[in-house]
Amino acid sequence: MDHWDGTPYEPQLRASHKEGIDKVGQEVGTPVIAVPGADGGQIAFFGPVVTPAPKGEDAAKLWDGTLAVASVPGFYEIKRTRTKGPDFSNL
């Protein structure tokens, strides 16, 4: 990533990335999301990876589901193989 070296955004980008990885652990990639966990502290997960991005009520359902799984102590992961590439048609 030599193209980022020396730009005014590099320190913030690196700090933000470190903060996310410190919360979620080294065994995942990005994106990372942190939400309230079962004890009220932040719990972080890799994801969400959704395409196309949900809107409106569908987005609210996804958010509610994220909070629900985060409220279960010991919940770590749900994953399946992607069968389609990114879809940006509804942006």
Side-chain angles (χ1 to χ4, degrees), residues 11-89:
Q12 293 90 343
L13 177 65
R14 289 185 186 276
S16 175
H17 180 74
K18 182 180 182 324
E19 180 183 357
I21 294 300
D22 286 350
K23 288 178 182 177
V24 75
Q26 297 295 318
E27 297 85 26
V28 301
T30 56
V32 171
I33 186 171
V35 298
D39 64 0
Q42 282 194 331
I43 184 169
F45 297 105
F46 164 72
V49 178
V50 183
T51 191
K55 303 280 187 191
E57 188 61 29
D58 288 337
K61 287 182 203 175
L62 178 59
W63 180 248
D64 289 345
T66 300
L67 295 178
V69 298
S71 73
V72 176
F75 177 84
Y76 293 98
E77 182 175 10
I78 293 176
K79 187 163 181 149
R80 69 179 179 164
T81 299
R82 287 183 235 172
T83 58
K84 294 192 274 183
D87 178 351
F88 301 110
S89 63

